[in-house]
């Protein structure tokens, strides 16, 4: 047992301490969080717009052209792997762009937008139809009713699942190494190749991911509890 602990200590030193390699993990984590955060913001904006497009109808109650465009966007994004979307963005759409972080943010933001759109749409539909009728009876237009009455109530419905979508997005960013970005996962892979020892760098990266996601999960649970308490008042 003592020999095992000595071996583990040596591997830990090699993977994290020697050459100040812990700084590489911090730098990689920074890239991961940067991409995930800005992609989540972009996905929230795109998703909200697409959700409203998908719900749009004409005076006869039929879907508009915007609704068909939204459906096509959601189908294409949800029907193709995120890694292929990232490669298409890097090698084709933004081939001349050398800013890998920007490309990754756009790719993951567009990808997340399709899932957020369905979350927001479900949240809006969960609001009682009587709220829309009440808004219209007060003289508000359809757009004003949506902005001032429906969306504020839908926010409570969509916050928890959007938080879960951010957690999924954070883990999906592990593929940015395909476009030469040194995130947390790629950092662990590079250190493994330098030290010829894969166990400690990869396990270390997994632990970091787990801790970050666990913190986010706890925060989400607290948010859900607060939302439930506000609903019971």
């Amino acid at each position: 047992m003592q020999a095992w602990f000595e071996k583990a200590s040596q591997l830990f030193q090699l993977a994290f301490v020697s050459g100040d390699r812990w700084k590489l993990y911090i730098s990689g984590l920074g890239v991961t969080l940067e991409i995930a955060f800005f992609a989540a913001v972009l996905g929230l904006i795109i998703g909200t717009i697409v959700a409203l497009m998908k719900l749009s109808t004409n005076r006869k109650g039929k879907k508009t052209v915007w609704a068909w465009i939204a459906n096509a966007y959601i189908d294409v994004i949800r029907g193709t792997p995120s890694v292929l979307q990232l490669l298409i963005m890097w090698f084709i759409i933004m081939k001349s762009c050398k800013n890998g972080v920007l490309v990754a943010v756009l790719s993951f933001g567009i990808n997340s937008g399709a899932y957020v759109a369905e979350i927001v749409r479900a949240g809006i539909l969960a609001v009682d139809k009587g709220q829309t009728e009440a808004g219209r009876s007060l003289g508000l237009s359809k757009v004003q009713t949506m902005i001032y009455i429906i969306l504020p109530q839908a926010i409570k419905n969509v916050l928890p699942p959007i938080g879960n979508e951010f957690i999924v997005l954070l883990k999906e960013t592990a593929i940015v190494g395909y476009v030469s970005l040194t995130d947390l996962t790629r950092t662990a892979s590079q250190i493994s190749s330098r030290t010829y020892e894969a166990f400690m760098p990869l396990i270390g990266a997994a632990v970091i991911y787990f801790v970050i996601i666990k913190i986010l999960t706890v925060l989400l649970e607290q948010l859900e509890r607060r939302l439930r308490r506000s609903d019971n008042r």
Side-chain angles (χ1 to χ4, degrees):
M1 183 62 71
Q2 183 178 356
W4 185 89
F5 279 111
E6 290 178 356
K7 179 64 174 178
S9 177
Q10 291 174 0
L11 293 177
F12 182 85
Q13 290 277 340
L14 185 63
F16 295 95
V17 180
S18 299
D20 290 334
R21 290 190 173 116
W22 59 271
K23 294 181 180 179
L24 299 177
Y25 288 94
I26 293 177
S27 177
L29 178 60
V31 172
T32 294
L33 294 176
E34 180 183 10
I35 294 173
F37 174 77
F38 287 106
V41 173
L42 179 60
L44 181 60
I45 295 172
I46 293 175
T48 302
I49 295 173
V50 172
L52 296 176
M53 289 171 58
K54 188 170 181 178
L55 291 171
S56 63
T57 57
N58 57 27
R59 293 181 179 180
K60 295 182 179 180
K62 295 183 178 180
K63 291 183 178 181
T64 64
V65 174
W66 296 112
W68 289 107
I69 293 174
N71 274 322
Y73 160 75
I74 292 172
D75 286 343
V76 170
I77 296 300
R78 295 177 67 181
T80 54
S82 56
V83 64
L84 285 181
Q85 296 168 16
L86 178 62
L87 293 174
I88 290 171
M89 183 69 73
W90 176 255
F91 289 109
I92 301 175
I93 298 176
M94 300 190 68
K95 184 178 180 179
S96 60
C97 180
K98 301 304 179 183
N99 189 334
V101 172
L102 175 61
V103 173
V105 167
L106 290 175
S107 179
F108 286 111
I110 293 172
N111 177 274
S112 180
Y115 297 92
V116 171
E118 290 296 272
I119 293 172
V120 173
R121 183 182 67 86
I124 291 173
L125 292 177
V127 178
D128 190 270
K129 291 183 179 180
Q131 299 294 320
T132 301
E133 296 172 357
R136 299 305 299 273
S137 66
L138 292 173
L140 298 177
S141 67
K142 188 175 181 180
V143 175
Q144 290 174 324
T145 301
M146 178 63 70
I147 294 174
Y148 297 114
I149 295 180
I150 305 302
L151 284 180
Q153 296 182 65
I155 288 175
K156 283 188 176 183
N157 299 326
V158 304
L159 278 179
I162 283 180
N164 290 326
E165 168 61 21
F166 177 71
I167 290 176
V168 172
L169 181 62
L170 180 63
K171 291 186 291 184
E172 283 188 346
T173 59
I175 63 174
V176 296
Y178 280 98
V179 294
S180 302
L181 284 176
T182 307
D183 68 321
L184 181 57
T185 301
R186 186 174 176 84
T187 295
S189 178
Q190 289 177 341
I191 292 176
S192 296
S193 64
R194 294 175 188 175
T195 61
Y196 301 102
E197 177 57 50
F199 177 80
M200 195 60 71
L202 296 179
I203 292 299
V207 170
I208 295 172
Y209 273 114
F210 176 80
V211 171
I212 297 297
I213 291 171
K214 186 62 179 179
I215 292 172
L216 292 174
T217 301
V218 171
L219 293 176
L220 275 174
E221 290 174 350
Q222 292 180 351
L223 174 62
E224 290 182 18
R225 283 197 294 269
R226 289 186 179 183
L227 291 176
R228 284 198 296 266
R229 283 201 298 267
S230 66
D231 289 337
N232 293 332
R233 291 176 182 174

